[in-house]
């Protein structure tokens, strides 16, 4: 039996409503806009926030890329990609540059995004002050009054407890000098890519029913202290074992056979492209 | 004479009610209440026309039985709660010419963070029990604009030492501390930005007698050293007697007697105060 879904799964009014929330989010950079998060055929917490954004935005001409922690091939990424494909019949790609819409969990791609592209980030915990203040009504007030002591206090606590700002991922940022925002659990390495991005960045939290945005060319600053400046993960003297890249976010892997650690690009499609480029160049040279 | 100076804080006609009021209780001059409570419309008049001046370096005591409106008054002064009506002027804020109650939320936050410190009876209200003790002090400094870790660390260590928290415990969470230690951390936090005014609401209530005495000694020593002005609230006249230069006696939301603490103890005028003093003997 074939089930007939509307294009992009949702009915038109649902998509319109999500788009309205999205427009509001773009109009107020960094502000969390509540929306009526829909039931999805995948479990909440598995990217339903991002997926709802994606489905509300795609048209027939779009080319979609889905990545999960840097990988296009993970079960999660593949099942989201399938759902988009099955309900829209649109094209998908692994190539960052070819995609018009990129849905991602925990990474911003290495290839710089360009104007016209949309990056959709999946967000598990949209409220950057939640650990400081459990009550939603109170955090709303703190945002309204731009009272962000709590965000700095949490960083201060990390310095007291661990000697440095240990937020490996989801390091809070100030957007457009107004709202403190959780960038989703991207590594600190990726925070800089949010600043003055050419692409539109949308963030969706399905379980928490929030949408927020960083419009193109918006100032995004990672929070820090005068004497403890924000520092990203450093891979300075590291290069990818596969493609030789430096200056990208890398995974440290362990070779059981030789018993040594090695590094590899976390963004697998970037790594693959680099390797293809190299073999093409080598091939051209030998010809 | 102390009275020649400008008051540090001047509280004028502070009222706080819970409920809308009704024709029976609207008019303060003719209202008939059961204690602080209108039996017709069930409005509670927690503070009724409370006025007093606090002078620089002075400790003023506020004493009265449970429910007399002391904590409500303190909450209004620290903007934890909005006063129904009345005015309060703070010398350290715009030369004392602006009614703080009429200021914006942002300005009230500024006043709280820079010009006042408060210690609550319940440390849960004044501290983040799961954060480090030094972080609790830093919070107030961050709120006042500090973005230097070393500055906050130094100040936090200095203050925690002042309130006798051992150095090796400053990164512990207050939830692991005894009641007396928690109150001392609260005091350190309240002092972090060198506020001219400190509000202490039943700081020693619920503590063992010996711990009570040590906390009161600490407050006295700090007050002498820093010259800070203090409003000290307690249901216990014994506590007020130990520290306060002057004392207000509250009953059913009203100030029923006011004077030098010694005078009130020796020669209480109101029947209610006499009763309080006798119970102390
Ligand atoms: N939120 C509230 N709603 C209604 N009544 C209140 C509220 N808060 C305090 N009260 C009443 O105000 C009166 C004064 O309370 P409180 O200021 O706590 O007294 P005290 O600190 O002197 O014991 C009491 O009768 C109390 O029941
Ligand atoms: Mg009380
Ligand atoms: Zn690589
Ligand atoms: Zn009434």
């Amino acid at each position: 039996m074939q089930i007939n879904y509307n294009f992009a799964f949702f009915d038109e009014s649902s998509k319109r409503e999500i788009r309205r929330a999205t427009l509001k989010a773009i109009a107020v950079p960094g502000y969390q806009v509540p929306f009526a998060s829909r039931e999805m055929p995948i479990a909440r917490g598995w990217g339903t926030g991002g997926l709802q954004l994606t489905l509300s935005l795609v048209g027939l001409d779009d080319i979609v890329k889905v990545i999960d922690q840097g990988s296009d091939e993970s079960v999660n990424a593949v099942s989201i990609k399938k759902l988009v494909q099955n309900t829209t019949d649109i094209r998908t790609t692994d190539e960052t540059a070819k995609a018009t819409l990129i849905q991602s969990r925990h990474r911003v791609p290495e290839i710089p995004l360009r104007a016209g592209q949309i990056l959709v980030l999946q967000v598990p915990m949209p409220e950057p002050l939640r650990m400081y203040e459990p009550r939603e009504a109170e955090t709303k007030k703190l945002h309204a009054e731009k009272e962000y002591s709590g965000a700095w206090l949490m960083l201060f606590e990390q310095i007291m407890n661990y000697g440095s700002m240990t937020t490996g991922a989801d390091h809070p940022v100030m957007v457009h000098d107004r709202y403190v925002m959780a960038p989703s659990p991207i590594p600190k390495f990726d925070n800089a890519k949010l600043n003055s991005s050419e692409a539109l960045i949308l963030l969706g939290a399905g379980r928490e029913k929030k949408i927020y945005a960083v419009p193109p060319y918006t100032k995004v600053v990672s929070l820090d202290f005068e004497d403890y400046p924000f520092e990203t993960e450093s891979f300075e003297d590291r290069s990818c074992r596969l493609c030789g890249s430096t200056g990208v976010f890398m995974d440290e892997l362990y070779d059981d056979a030789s018993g040594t650690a090695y590094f590899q690009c976390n963004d697998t499609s970037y790594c693959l492209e680099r390797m293809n480029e190299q073999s093409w160049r080598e091939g051209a040279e030998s010809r | 004479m102390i009275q020649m100076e400008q008051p540090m804080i001047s509280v004028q006609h502070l009222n706080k009610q819970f409920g809308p009021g009704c024709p029976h209780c609207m008019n303060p001059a003719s209202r008939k209440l059961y204690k602080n409570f209108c039996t017709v419309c069930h409005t509670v008049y927690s503070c009724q026309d409370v006025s007093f001046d606090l002078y620089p370096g002075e400790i003023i005591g506020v004493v009265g039985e449970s429910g007399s409106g002391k904590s409500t008054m303190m909450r209004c002064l620290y903007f934890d709660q909005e006063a129904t009506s009345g005015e309060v002027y703070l010398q350290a804020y715009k030369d004392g010419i602006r009614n703080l109650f009429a200021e914006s939320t942002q300005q009230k936050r500024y006043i709280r963070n820079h010009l006042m410190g408060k210690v609550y009876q319940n440390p849960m209200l004044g501290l983040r029990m799961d954060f480090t003790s030094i972080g609790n002090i830093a919070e107030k400094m961050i709120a006042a604009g500090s973005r230097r870790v070393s500055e906050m660390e130094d100040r936090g260590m200095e203050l925690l030492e002042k309130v006798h928290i051992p150095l090796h415990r400053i990164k512990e969470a207050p939830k692991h501390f005894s009641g007396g230690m928690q109150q001392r951390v609260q005091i350190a936090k309240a002092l972090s930005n060198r506020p001219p005014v400190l509000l202490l609401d039943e700081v020693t209530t619920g503590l063992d007698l010996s711990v009570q005495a040590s906390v009161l000694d600490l407050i006295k020593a700090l007050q002498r050293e820093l010259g800070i002005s203090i409003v000290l609230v307690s249901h216990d006249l014994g506590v007020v007697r130990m520290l306060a230069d002057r004392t207000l006696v509250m009953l059913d939301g009203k100030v029923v007697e006011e004077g030098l603490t010694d005078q009130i103890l020796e020669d209480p005028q109101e029947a209610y105060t006499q009763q309080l003093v006798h119970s102390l003997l």
Side-chain angles (χ1 to χ4, degrees):
Chain A
M1 188 188 85
Q2 187 169 350
I3 301 169
N4 283 316
Y5 293 109
N6 192 31
F7 178 79
F9 187 72
F10 295 125
D11 59 71
E12 294 306 311
S13 74
S14 293
K15 285 190 278 185
R16 262 200 299 276
E17 206 217 299
I18 297 168
R19 288 198 290 259
R20 266 199 297 272
T22 307
L23 284 171
K24 185 169 173 185
I26 294 167
V28 193
Y31 174 76
Q32 300 166 52
V33 180
F35 80 113
S37 188
R38 301 297 194 283
E39 290 300 328
M40 299 286 305
I42 55 173
R44 279 191 183 170
W46 291 95
T48 55
L51 194 50
Q52 290 178 78
L53 280 168
T54 297
L55 292 172
S56 77
L57 291 170
V58 285
L60 286 169
D61 298 333
D62 274 303
I63 305 174
V64 173
K65 170 183 164 77
V66 181
I67 33 173
D68 185 355
Q69 291 182 313
S71 165
D72 298 76
E73 304 303 324
S74 84
V75 178
N76 221 352
V78 169
S79 68
I80 289 175
K81 214 173 339 193
K82 267 203 190 122
L83 192 117
V84 175
Q85 232 168 359
N86 289 346
T87 59
T88 62
D89 255 347
I90 63 172
R91 283 170 295 165
T92 62
T93 181
D94 290 353
E95 278 180 64
T96 299
K98 277 202 183 139
T100 56
L101 192 153
I102 301 164
Q103 178 171 338
S104 171
R105 171 172 177 261
H106 298 190
R107 275 312 305 277
V108 178
E110 298 292 358
I111 292 176
L113 301 179
R114 53 176 164 72
Q117 287 182 310
I118 298 175
L119 174 67
V120 171
L121 288 169
Q122 297 170 202
V123 180
M125 240 321 299
E127 179 48 69
L129 297 170
R130 186 57 73 231
M131 296 286 282
Y132 169 80
E133 171 54 65
R135 292 162 297 183
E136 171 75 7
E138 291 302 311
T139 50
K140 273 190 89 135
K141 250 187 248 165
L142 295 174
H143 284 291
E145 294 175 15
K146 203 184 172 186
E147 173 38 63
Y148 288 125
S149 309
W152 269 278
L153 177 60
M154 286 185 290
L155 298 175
F156 182 89
E157 285 285 286
Q158 290 173 4
I159 293 169
M160 287 303 107
N161 287 321
Y162 308 106
S164 65
M165 293 192 288
T166 50
T167 39
D170 214 358
H171 187 100
V173 293
M174 175 68 83
V175 178
H176 197 51
D177 294 321
R178 178 56 186 87
Y179 287 99
V180 167
M181 181 188 95
S184 85
I186 56 173
K188 288 195 279 191
F189 185 87
D190 285 348
N191 274 24
K193 298 176 189 162
L194 306 183
N195 183 40
S196 204
S197 160
E198 285 185 27
L200 167 64
I201 301 169
L202 300 175
L203 300 100
R207 196 181 41 213
E208 304 278 331
K209 305 184 171 68
K210 294 284 170 55
I211 288 171
Y212 49 107
V214 178
Y217 306 107
T218 301
K219 183 174 160 195
V220 176
V221 179
S222 302
L223 302 192
D224 64 1
F225 293 98
E226 288 161 20
D227 49 349
Y228 280 80
F230 175 76
E231 279 171 3
T232 62
E233 300 84 355
S234 164
F235 304 97
E236 236 165 67
D237 41 357
R238 311 283 185 208
S239 58
C240 173
R241 191 172 78 156
L242 299 175
C243 73
S245 284
T246 56
V248 296
F249 189 79
M250 281 186 264
D251 293 326
E252 185 173 5
L253 300 169
Y254 200 72
D255 187 350
D256 281 331
S258 68
T260 53
Y262 62 95
F263 287 83
Q264 200 169 300
C265 296
N266 168 270
D267 183 340
T268 51
S269 79
Y270 171 83
C271 194
L272 210 63
E273 276 173 48
R274 287 283 313 235
M275 286 193 287
N276 287 341
E277 261 171 45
Q278 282 161 15
S279 59
W280 185 84
R281 223 179 288 129
E282 279 158 23
E285 275 161 19
S286 68
R287 232 174 284 148
Chain B
M1 269 293 282
I2 203 167
Q3 259 68 2
M4 301 298 289
E5 289 177 82
Q6 283 260 61
M8 192 67 233
I9 261 199
S10 179
V11 179
Q12 297 174 15
H13 313 294
L14 168 59
N15 288 288
K16 176 65 181 176
Q17 70 187 62
F18 295 96
C22 70
H24 188 80
C25 65
M26 279 313 197
N27 183 353
S30 62
R31 73 167 61 120
K32 293 255 183 323
L33 303 175
Y34 172 73
K35 287 177 163 285
N36 60 8
F37 181 71
C38 173
T39 51
V40 180
C41 71
H42 296 189
T43 293
V44 179
Y45 289 88
S46 299
C47 291
Q48 304 186 65
D49 198 28
V50 173
S51 300
F52 65 91
D53 290 336
L54 172 70
Y55 288 90
E58 186 186 28
I59 301 183
I60 204 161
V62 181
V63 71
E65 66 191 28
S66 173
S68 57
K70 309 179 296 296
S71 293
T72 304
M73 175 192 86
M74 296 289 258
R75 281 194 291 269
C76 291
L77 292 181
Y78 201 58
F79 315 119
D80 287 328
Q81 233 166 34
E82 203 168 325
T84 306
S85 66
E87 289 150 44
V88 59
Y89 299 90
L90 178 64
Q91 182 52 41
Y93 181 72
K94 297 187 176 166
D95 290 325
I97 58 163
R98 300 292 292 266
N99 172 15
L100 304 189
F101 290 153
E103 292 295 281
S104 69
T105 318
Q106 270 93 343
Q107 286 304 311
K108 283 177 180 167
R109 212 181 267 284
Y110 172 87
I111 294 161
R112 253 171 89 111
N113 290 335
H114 291 79
L115 304 174
M116 287 187 190
K118 184 174 176 185
V119 178
Y120 297 82
Q121 171 180 353
N122 181 353
M124 302 262 283
L125 296 175
L127 295 176
R128 299 196 174 268
M129 296 306 248
D130 297 330
F131 284 50
T132 62
S133 296
I134 195 159
N136 269 281
I137 290 160
E139 180 178 17
K140 193 143 168 116
M141 298 181 73
I142 291 169
S146 176
R147 293 291 179 269
R148 280 199 84 78
V149 172
S150 58
E151 169 193 54
M152 292 186 273
E153 218 178 347
D154 291 348
R155 178 79 179 142
M157 276 172 6
E158 176 194 332
L159 283 166
L160 287 170
E161 192 181 352
K162 245 190 226 309
V163 301
H164 314 308
I165 304 292
L167 201 63
H168 68 276
R169 303 197 65 179
I170 62 174
K171 290 182 184 176
E172 268 181 60
K175 70 175 173 198
H176 300 304
F177 287 174
S178 68
M181 280 175 83
Q182 290 174 349
Q183 293 311 61
R184 296 207 299 267
V185 176
Q186 272 207 85
I187 292 169
K189 175 179 184 175
L191 292 172
S192 58
N193 293 317
R194 304 178 170 82
V197 176
L198 200 55
L199 306 172
L200 306 177
D201 189 2
E202 307 268 8
V203 252
T204 58
T205 303
L207 301 179
D208 289 346
L209 278 180
S210 64
V211 179
Q212 238 185 66
S214 78
V215 173
L216 292 175
D217 281 346
L218 172 70
I219 292 167
K220 193 155 193 102
L222 288 172
Q223 194 274 334
R224 283 218 184 98
E225 184 190 333
L226 307 171
I228 201 165
S229 313
I230 297 178
V231 182
L232 173 83
V233 159
S234 178
H235 70 284
D236 183 350
L237 189 54
V239 167
V240 167
R241 176 170 69 173
M242 266 191 66
L243 294 180
D245 307 307
R246 282 189 304 138
T247 294
L248 309 182
V249 180
M250 282 184 76
L251 178 65
D252 300 338
K254 293 183 200 149
V255 176
V256 293
E257 187 156 356
E258 173 180 3
L260 294 172
T261 306
D262 292 342
Q263 252 168 36
I264 282 184
L265 284 163
E266 270 164 40
D267 186 19
Q269 299 296 305
E270 292 294 312
Y272 175 72
T273 316
Q274 289 167 3
Q275 201 184 312
L276 265 185
V277 172
H278 284 305
S279 67
L280 190 67
L281 300 176

